[in-house]
Amino acid sequence: MHQVLIALGSNYHQHAHIQWASQRLSTLLCDIRLSRKLWTQDIHATGQWYMNRLAAGYTPLSADEISQWLKEIEAETCRTKQCVTLDLDLMLYDSERFHLRDWPRPYIQRLLSDIKMIHIL
């Protein structure tokens, strides 16, 4: 089993999309742990608000398989560049970090404390 961390974000019908994605991820991950939901302004200063959450757990899938699965979930919600119904990013796969520019963001750091992942804190 591989330890993973996935970042969830949405700027459109945020609560519904984050809740739906959280339920979908619970079918992918064993021993899933979810952070609280946190509102943040768009990092590109567009004035849009995002709801963010982290999900951590374990899976037998490869990093490529998980990434493909996440893209398929995003596509199910008809995501566009302006209407980010869901943004699902694989942040950690065992000890390999992805999306390195996102790790220092304050909301990621705050949400990490919610799920208490020993390997990354």
Side-chain angles (χ1 to χ4, degrees):
M1 295 294 266
H2 304 280
Q3 182 181 36
V4 297
L5 176 69
I6 297 167
L8 297 77
S10 175
N11 75 358
Y12 181 75
H13 293 299
Q14 297 94 325
H15 182 74
H17 284 116
I18 293 296
Q19 188 63 31
W20 180 80
S22 298
Q23 290 172 344
R24 291 292 303 271
L25 289 174
S26 70
T27 67
L28 172 70
L29 304 177
C30 299
D31 299 323
I32 190 170
R33 291 179 311 280
L34 297 167
S35 72
R36 66 189 142 154
K37 298 170 197 152
L38 185 65
W39 288 99
T40 60
Q41 287 192 359
D42 180 20
I43 61 171
H44 302 294
T46 64
Q48 295 182 346
W49 283 89
Y50 279 76
M51 181 179 283
N52 298 278
R53 174 179 250 183
L54 295 178
Y58 297 89
T59 181
L61 300 176
S62 70
D64 288 340
E65 290 170 322
I66 293 170
S67 294
Q68 181 60 39
W69 200 77
L70 296 177
K71 297 237 179 290
E72 290 172 10
I73 293 173
E74 288 176 350
E76 286 181 42
T77 62
C78 302
R79 175 190 166 157
T80 66
K81 189 169 181 134
Q82 292 75 28
C83 181
V84 182
T85 50
L86 273 177
D87 182 27
L88 302 173
D89 294 325
L90 178 61
M91 300 289 291
L92 181 78
Y93 185 84
D94 289 333
S95 61
E96 185 177 1
R97 288 185 179 201
F98 301 93
H99 301 279
L100 298 178
R101 292 185 346 197
D102 293 336
W103 282 91
R105 298 192 195 284
Y107 73 91
I108 294 289
Q109 293 302 307
R110 289 203 317 244
L111 294 175
L112 279 172
S113 66
D114 288 355
I115 55 176
K116 298 175 178 63
M117 290 184 67
I118 294 169
H119 291 89
I120 58 174
L121 291 178

